[in-house]
Amino acid sequence: IFRHLERPAEVARLTQLKDVVKTQRERFMSTILNNTEVNNLNELLSFELAKYEAAVQQAAEGGLLIVADKDFPEPYERWSILQAVFFSSTVLTTIGYGNIVPVTTSGRVFCICFALIGIPFTLTVIADWGRLFASAVSVFGKHMPTKPKFTNFIGKTWFYAILAVGFLGVYLAAGAGLLLLWEDDWTFFDGFYFCFITMTTIGFGDLVPKKPNYMLLCTLYILIGLALTSTIIELVRRQYATSWAKLQELSGPMAETLRRLGETAGTGLDYTTLQKVLTVSMPKWNSNKKSEHNSDIAALEAITNAILKEVKEAQNSKPKVLQIVIYESSV
């Protein structure tokens, strides 16, 4: 449908640009060959050259090759079947490179309807794929024969998150390597940058594949990559949420003790700040072992009580200052 609506308008636009370039080129050449007045030759040539350069720039921006011998051809068909499929996928995945856009009113209206209906379906499919990938990662984690020793330090959840991010990097690198096979003027970093900008749905559009013969493969790669990216981002987000929940869990039993000791220690103690410092700087514990967890909390409370006791003693040892304010009025 996109091709049916947009291709005729694209052909008409390119034909008009081509006619303008040809007309300005013929006028410029005619001015050089047929002008007999030497006095205003420079001004006339400059004027005609400026108009021809403007026509050439407009044609180049419109998608024509500036090759007069080949009648200013179109390098590739923007609204071919494969390009239209690729454009549809960028609409549904909300990437939106911007290199191909609908220009007709009917095409834009259809794009609005197509996006409103298709985007929720696409997000549902990507979410389902993400859950499948997450389940696969969980099964892989449970049946992993041996775990590295540093997992005892960072925790298994963080280990899985780092492993997932590393796998995403490998996936992006593989996509960059495939793009090098088709895009001759791209470097490896250009391909990696394009894959990252695509998988995160940023879609600047500064780098876009131009070879239409592999657009279907690129579309499939993008869909799978979006599911992987959403899964990995969700894993990292859950790890952040889990870490914050542990901090809140530890600060919960200590909150009342800190508040009570802060009130008895005097007004010069900011117990809220002290609570945050102790919460952030607390040592790591294993939440699966409940007894050790309770002993850690008791130890931290004992340390807190000792610190507050020292603060209170230091405050009591300070000399008391009596402040007298004298207010004088003319009334």
Side-chain angles (χ1 to χ4, degrees), residues 36 60 81 190 205 243 309 321:
T36 57
I81 294 296
D190 291 337
S243 301
K309 183 178 179 181
V321 178

Side-chain angles (χ1 to χ4, degrees), residues 1-9 79-81 84 104 106:
I1 294 177
F2 277 119
R3 185 179 187 278
H4 176 74
L5 295 175
E6 295 296 328
R7 182 57 185 170
W79 287 105
S80 63
I81 294 296
T104 62
S106 57

Side-chain angles (χ1 to χ4, degrees), residues 146-162:
T146 57
K147 295 182 177 62
K149 294 182 179 179
F150 64 89
T151 55
N152 297 327
F153 176 74
I154 64 174
K156 291 189 292 184
T157 308
W158 271 115
F159 170 70
Y160 293 148
I162 295 174

